[in-house]
Amino acid sequence: MPIPRAAQTQRRTRIQEEKEEQILEAALDVFSQNGFKGATIDQIAEVAGMSKPNLLYYFRTKEAMHRALIERVLDTWLDPLRAFDAEGNPESEIRSYIRRKLEMARDYPRESRLFANEVLRGAPLIEDELKGPLKQLVDEKAEVIRAWAKAGKIAKCDPYHLIFSIWSTTQHYADFDVQVRAVLGQEKDGDGRFEDAARFLEQLFMGGLSIRA
Amino acid sequence: MPIPRAAQTQRRTRIQEEKEEQILEAALDVFSQNGFKGATIDQIAEVAGMSKPNLLYYFRTKEAMHRALIERVLDTWLDPLRAFDAEGNPESEIRSYIRRKLEMARDYPRESRLFANEVLRGAPLIEDELKGPLKQLVDEKAEVIRAWAKAGKIAKCDPYHLIFSIWSTTQHYADFDVQVRAVLGQEKDGDGRFEDAARFLEQLFMGGLSIRA
DNA sequence: CAATAATTTGACCGTTTGGTAAACATTACA
DNA sequence: TGTAATGTTTACCAAACGGTCAAATTATTG
């Protein structure tokens, strides 16, 4: 048989592992910068260092590539929120959640932009993920926050919007990086802006939740 | 002469005004949802209710359309920040800035997404605007905030990151609307989420800046 | 109303794009 | 080592795309 596509085989060969990894790495580069429609298979193939048909041997369509990429990244993307611990104390939990999210914006900006692009155009590929697993996870953590508020450990506030605001403020430094750099100017060009942001955001959220440091 | 392009003429006819308006309105729809590369001229023409060559009679290229659109929108987009008044008192100024930005996210989500798309892909068209006029405006307002902090009217904080955090938290409700809806579920489907968001954000920023309400 | 300028359209063009077919090369394994 | 499965490449296709052109239509004005 001439066409046993990689995706159809039962066991994955060493080559499959390597090449798929290579492709997804390249795809992350291209998709995150140009969005789904803006990215071309040729571009991804070039970055991955292989021919277009070879690439399509591993992923049958552009959409299949995008889907595989997003699903893989989504999983690790939510790790910080999953680490949010009901048993811990509010201050350190919220503090470290902000810090982790900010570190992800600094260290994995492509992943952040990939999501931003996807959500911006209506999240056609991950709608179910958002309404299902994501909502469930957020519901769970929102309950934790609400309990903290009820116990008087933090100020009463809407836990959902608290989570949204942590997401947005931290991811801003990845998604709007160009704008942030432009406004801050060249003097603050290294990763110093992340430290400043961390300091500010801690102050903002600790104060906003009436937690004195 | 057969081709006196609209853009080249000295005076604008009534028809030119109307059609260019029509086109930019349609372009806003399409560009904001699909990004620059993802949008097609045919799509815009269809939404605008005219033929593709007719559209290209008013804007010679897709990029010209995009540029015209972005420049026009950018101007009104910064109005809330411009309204930021050094003479006013910190509490009401920051409060109303947040409120205005949130209203814009609610009432002009397409404009917000247009920018998000543009900045996400590196802002090739507005790089100069960002580094010039925008930076200048932000610098100016940052100085106002810094003065407030120095006078003890608000807590000491990095004014740039304060502005970034207001931008990100408010625009989040336009740019990530799909995600917000998915997480909040259907029960909170009307514009109620904006009121909740406004309440939360006021609490967050007033507390974060040590302003008691 | 005539004539000139402005606007609109259908047909078309070259390029880019996502994807395929089939021949060729390599690897894994009996 | 031979052979079947896996992997790679060259050449190609149809559709979509940005944009052009000349002809037809409509609006403006002397």
Side-chain angles (χ1 to χ4, degrees), chain A residues 71-84:
Chain A
E71 277 171 10
R72 193 175 77 150
V73 169
L74 182 56
D75 198 54
T76 71
W77 198 245
L78 291 175
D79 276 346
L81 186 55
R82 273 191 279 260
F84 208 91

Side-chain angles (χ1 to χ4, degrees), chain A residues 82-159:
Chain A
R82 273 191 279 260
F84 208 91
D85 185 11
E87 310 302 325
N89 83 74
E91 179 186 344
S92 68
E93 286 304 314
I94 292 173
R95 237 201 189 91
S96 64
Y97 181 51
I98 292 170
R99 185 165 17 88
R100 272 188 212 129
K101 285 293 290 177
L102 201 53
E103 280 165 5
M104 293 195 73
R106 184 191 60 195
D107 299 335
Y108 305 99
R110 296 177 303 171
E111 283 81 350
S112 186
R113 292 195 196 105
L114 184 77
F115 279 119
N117 265 309
E118 182 63 13
V119 176
L120 253 181
R121 71 198 56 215
L125 258 55
I126 52 171
E127 209 192 346
D128 293 341
E129 287 289 324
L130 299 184
K131 291 184 179 172
L134 175 66
K135 176 174 166 48
Q136 211 170 337
L137 179 61
V138 175
D139 280 342
E140 185 189 318
K141 300 306 182 181
E143 206 41 60
V144 171
I145 294 171
R146 188 167 283 148
W148 286 342
K150 216 159 216 166
K153 294 180 181 173
I154 62 173
K156 278 193 176 126
C157 69
D158 187 317

Side-chain angles (χ1 to χ4, degrees), chain A:
Chain A
M1 283 299 148
I3 316 180
R5 298 274 184 180
Q8 294 170 353
T9 57
Q10 302 291 344
R11 297 182 194 172
R12 326 189 53 158
T13 67
R14 173 186 52 90
I15 293 181
Q16 276 173 37
E17 300 269 8
E18 287 173 8
K19 291 298 168 93
E20 287 178 14
E21 182 59 37
Q22 226 178 98
I23 291 168
L24 290 181
E25 165 65 24
L28 179 56
D29 246 48
V30 178
F31 279 129
S32 68
Q33 203 162 53
N34 304 99
F36 179 71
K37 288 191 188 177
T40 72
I41 300 182
D42 299 78
Q43 239 178 317
I44 298 171
E46 198 191 327
V47 174
M50 61 180 79
S51 68
K52 177 166 66 172
N54 195 8
L55 200 155
L56 287 163
Y57 171 74
Y58 292 100
F59 296 93
R60 309 241 278 275
T61 65
K62 188 173 136 179
E63 192 188 310
M65 275 184 46
H66 197 228
R67 175 166 273 127
L69 179 61
I70 273 203
E71 277 171 10
R72 193 175 77 150
V73 169
L74 182 56
D75 198 54
T76 71
W77 198 245
L78 291 175
D79 276 346
L81 186 55
R82 273 191 279 260
F84 208 91
D85 185 11
E87 310 302 325
N89 83 74
E91 179 186 344
S92 68
E93 286 304 314
I94 292 173
R95 237 201 189 91
S96 64
Y97 181 51
I98 292 170
R99 185 165 17 88
R100 272 188 212 129
K101 285 293 290 177
L102 201 53
E103 280 165 5
M104 293 195 73
R106 184 191 60 195
D107 299 335
Y108 305 99
R110 296 177 303 171
E111 283 81 350
S112 186
R113 292 195 196 105
L114 184 77
F115 279 119
N117 265 309
E118 182 63 13
V119 176
L120 253 181
R121 71 198 56 215
L125 258 55
I126 52 171
E127 209 192 346
D128 293 341
E129 287 289 324
L130 299 184
K131 291 184 179 172
L134 175 66
K135 176 174 166 48
Q136 211 170 337
L137 179 61
V138 175
D139 280 342
E140 185 189 318
K141 300 306 182 181
E143 206 41 60
V144 171
I145 294 171
R146 188 167 283 148
W148 286 342
K150 216 159 216 166
K153 294 180 181 173
I154 62 173
K156 278 193 176 126
C157 69
D158 187 317
Y160 291 94
H161 293 280
L162 170 59
I163 291 173
F164 292 153
S165 65
I166 295 177
W167 286 352
S168 60
T169 49
T170 53
Q171 290 175 6
H172 187 80
Y173 293 95
D175 304 343
F176 289 76
D177 181 57
V178 182
Q179 196 183 56
V180 169
R181 284 172 188 268
V183 168
L184 290 183
Q186 292 166 340
E187 57 271 22
K188 281 277 179 190
D189 213 27
D191 279 357
R193 65 186 185 287
F194 283 98
E195 289 161 31
D196 293 347
R199 236 188 318 274
F200 172 79
L201 291 178
E202 285 202 6
Q203 176 187 349
L204 175 67
F205 284 99
M206 291 303 110
L209 298 175
S210 304
I211 299 171
R212 51 200 125 282

